[in-house]
Amino acid sequence: MISNDIKQQFIRIVGAENYDDSQAGRLVYSYDATPQFQSLPDAVIAPRNTQEVAEIVKICNEHRIPIVPRGSGTNLCAGTCPIEGGIVLVFKHMNKILEIDEENLTVTVQPGVITLDLIKAVEEKGLFYPPDPSSMKISTIGGNINENSGGLRGLKYGVTRDYVMALEVVLPNGEIIRTGGKLAKDVAGYDLTRLFVGSEGTLGVITEATLKLIPMPETKKTMLALYQDLEAAARSVSKIIANKIIPATLEFLDQPTLEVVEAYAQIGLPTDVKAVLLIEQDGPQEIVERDIKKMAEICKSEQAVSVQLARSEEEAEALRTARRTALSALARLKPTTILEDATVPRSEIAKMVKAINEIAEKYNVKICTFGHAGDGNLHPTCPTDARDRDEMERVEKAFAEIFAKAIELGGTITGEHGVGAMKAPYLEWKLGEAGIAAMKAIKQALDPNNIMNPGKVFAKSTRKRVVVTR
């Protein structure tokens, strides 16, 4: 609990209007988008600038009060659930685009900037910020950096870490550091920028970021390939890459996902096929035309029953939007929706898709699969009901087996959702004891009092934890 003396110290820093320890205020920030995880913080604080963040962190470090930096709470690994109480930091005041530098092709932002707002702002100047997580309408740049978010364009353009050039970070002792810069080359010391990207708020509080921009692609084309064979669709993905074509988007949706997404979006998606590939290429017109033609031929050679080109940008955008709504659509099926994140080498996509279906049948659970097939990142998703203990136990076993299979195929337990509390029990499967020890050494060096998002990444608790009683 936070004593009244410490509470008054926080209020002197941020003002009474930016400190909330009411039951309702705490409840709002007791959970994120991850099912089965909920725990009340002791207070919610909204700092207005970096200096206020630093002062708050110093007090927390002195009194060993946990800190959970939070974006919009869209993460799917319980990364922003305050499972050990403490304070939740929200960045609703630190939400400004500070500079768009057209000479150096960078944008400098505060952590509370909404991802889609940033994308639109730079596109108005003919520039392009490629990372596009499905939650981009509401997720923040700070959250994206903490989780190293991916997106539909990750295959060709990479993920968030590939665009973070510099950071301002408040360390767990309250000191402020700046890493990186607007530089094409910089090898001065350890790459601290990369260390903080994807660290899930466990090493410090990001208060500013400078991101790389690139020129807008000249043109873009989108097509849909339809299949009556799941594995044929997966083989097409590997064959496209093997033919040295890197599309901007290469997405996979199975039939159960298609049916639900079409019922939700109602844009005319086919629901009588076993799978579709949503394929997009961008760049110079002659290259786009060549690649689209070649990819259509590859899909047909791998038993695609139909390959359809979007007739307009409006139709293409409808297809992209429908894909982004997959989680929202699936969430309508049952009271609980568990969306997972298993990634394998692209060459192993067909085996992974087959394994997911076999595991679902083995445990008698419904699993809908979609995802970024081009970069091997699949999202097996299970509509279920947390009140059905028998089914939940089978769901847990099924996903544990899916993670094990991904690792067996040379993959990982998470490609973009992060570890948080949800996947902490599985992290050692991927990294081994020595890998965990190396990470813990970094954590201990920077955060010896373990105040930064404690209980995440290294936690040993099970995924069934539900806490609402602080």
Side-chain angles (χ1 to χ4, degrees):
M1 296 291 292
I2 294 173
S3 69
N4 188 61
D5 178 58
I6 295 172
K7 172 180 175 176
Q8 294 307 316
Q9 290 182 55
F10 286 139
I11 288 174
R12 281 196 291 273
I13 295 168
V14 299
E17 70 278 12
N18 292 313
Y19 182 93
D20 189 354
D21 60 1
S22 67
Q23 182 72 10
R26 293 159 60 218
L27 185 62
V28 168
Y29 292 99
S30 65
Y31 59 92
D32 52 29
T34 317
Q36 294 181 271
F37 286 87
Q38 186 171 21
S39 180
L40 289 170
D42 295 306
V44 180
I45 301 179
R48 294 165 291 191
N49 54 58
T50 300
Q51 193 56 47
E52 289 186 355
V53 174
E55 291 178 36
I56 292 165
V57 171
K58 285 177 183 176
I59 293 171
C60 289
N61 193 46
E62 180 183 351
H63 298 281
R64 303 200 174 193
I65 298 169
I67 302 172
V68 181
R70 180 184 170 106
S72 295
T74 58
N75 87 88
L76 293 157
C77 65
T80 53
C81 177
I83 60 177
E84 297 192 15
I87 67 166
V88 170
L89 281 184
V90 296
F91 297 94
K92 62 183 181 181
H93 300 305
M94 298 176 68
N95 62 349
K96 298 175 183 61
I97 297 174
L98 301 175
E99 177 194 47
I100 299 176
D101 185 340
E102 296 182 68
E103 291 186 351
N104 289 301
L105 295 184
T106 65
V107 58
T108 301
V109 299
Q110 293 180 315
V113 171
I114 300 297
T115 310
L116 186 58
D117 291 347
L118 165 65
I119 290 171
K120 288 180 176 178
V122 300
E123 284 184 354
E124 287 177 5
K125 296 183 178 293
L127 298 171
F128 188 37
Y129 179 71
D132 61 336
S134 293
S135 59
M136 64 184 186
K137 287 184 178 179
I138 50 174
S139 66
T140 65
I141 291 297
N144 291 176
I145 293 171
N146 274 321
E147 296 294 339
N148 189 21
S149 300
L152 274 65
R153 297 191 284 240
L155 168 60
K156 182 173 184 177
Y157 290 105
V159 295
T160 299
R161 70 164 174 249
D162 300 305
Y163 295 86
V164 180
M165 299 181 71
L167 293 173
E168 179 183 75
V169 181
V170 177
L171 297 177
N173 62 5
E175 293 182 358
I176 302 167
I177 66 168
R178 285 186 171 270
T179 72
K182 298 179 182 180
L183 305 165
K185 296 179 180 179
D186 182 5
V187 294
Y190 295 149
D191 191 345
L192 295 178
T193 305
R194 286 246 174 167
L195 175 64
F196 285 103
V197 176
S199 63
E200 303 189 27
T202 63
L203 301 179
V205 182
I206 294 167
T207 52
E208 188 180 298
T210 298
L211 309 171
K212 179 176 72 174
L213 304 174
I214 60 177
M216 278 284 288
E218 291 176 27
T219 188
K220 185 182 342 183
K221 287 207 168 182
T222 305
M223 69 179 180
L224 209 59
L226 317 183
Y227 294 83
Q228 292 296 358
D229 182 345
L230 276 174
E231 292 179 47
R235 286 196 305 271
S236 297
V237 172
S238 299
K239 194 167 181 181
I240 287 170
I241 306 300
N243 274 267
K244 301 178 177 60
I245 301 172
I246 307 296
T249 297
L250 183 45
E251 296 288 302
F252 171 90
L253 296 90
D254 68 3
Q255 188 173 27
T257 308
L258 279 169
E259 291 171 348
V260 176
V261 169
E262 173 55 23
Y264 180 78
Q266 298 184 3
I267 63 163
L269 283 173
T271 57
D272 57 347
V273 293
K274 298 296 184 185
V276 304
L277 293 180
L278 172 62
I279 306 171
E280 191 165 79
Q281 184 59 299
D282 61 14
Q285 185 169 352
E286 61 274 17
I287 293 175
V288 171
E289 296 278 0
R290 182 196 69 196
D291 286 353
I292 286 287
K293 180 180 178 183
K294 180 64 176 174
M295 287 189 287
E297 291 170 357
I298 290 169
C299 292
K300 289 174 183 175
S301 75
E302 288 293 341
Q303 303 169 34
V305 295
S306 172
V307 179
Q308 307 166 3
L309 200 65
R311 290 164 293 193
S312 65
E313 174 53 27
E314 289 74 24
E315 185 176 329
E317 182 58 30
L319 291 171
R320 290 190 291 270
T321 300
R323 160 58 188 88
R324 293 187 203 280
T325 64
L327 175 57
S328 300
L330 288 165
R332 304 196 309 166
L333 294 182
K334 289 281 190 79
T336 308
T337 304
I338 299 178
L339 184 151
E340 280 296 0
D341 170 39
T343 302
V344 295
R346 293 179 290 227
S347 58
E348 304 290 354
I349 278 284
K351 292 179 184 175
M352 192 67 216
V353 169
K354 182 181 180 184
I356 290 169
N357 291 332
E358 290 172 349
I359 291 166
E361 187 174 340
K362 174 181 175 180
Y363 290 99
N364 189 29
V365 294
K366 180 182 179 71
I367 294 182
C368 306
T369 302
F370 63 96
H372 320 300
D375 53 26
N377 187 196
L378 293 174
H379 296 312
T381 303
C382 183
T384 183
D385 188 338
R387 296 167 295 185
D388 186 337
R389 292 185 179 181
D390 175 65
E391 183 173 77
M392 285 304 299
E393 189 171 326
R394 287 184 279 113
V395 170
E396 296 288 339
K397 289 178 179 177
F399 278 121
E401 199 163 314
I402 286 170
F403 298 148
K405 185 65 178 180
I407 292 170
E408 178 191 321
L409 292 173
T412 183
I413 61 171
T414 175
E416 60 185 5
H417 291 172
V419 177
M422 190 175 190
K423 290 190 176 175
Y426 307 111
L427 186 60
E428 194 171 311
W429 294 6
K430 170 62 178 172
L431 298 181
E433 286 186 25
I436 294 288
M439 287 179 57
K440 282 185 174 179
I442 295 169
K443 169 72 169 171
Q444 177 66 21
L446 289 173
D447 184 19
N449 292 329
N450 193 30
I451 63 165
M452 292 306 309
N453 209 4
K456 310 299 167 53
V457 181
F458 305 113
K460 294 296 182 184
S461 59
T462 70
R463 294 175 56 190
K464 297 180 181 180
R465 179 183 177 112
V466 181
V467 183
V468 291
T469 57
R470 284 187 62 86

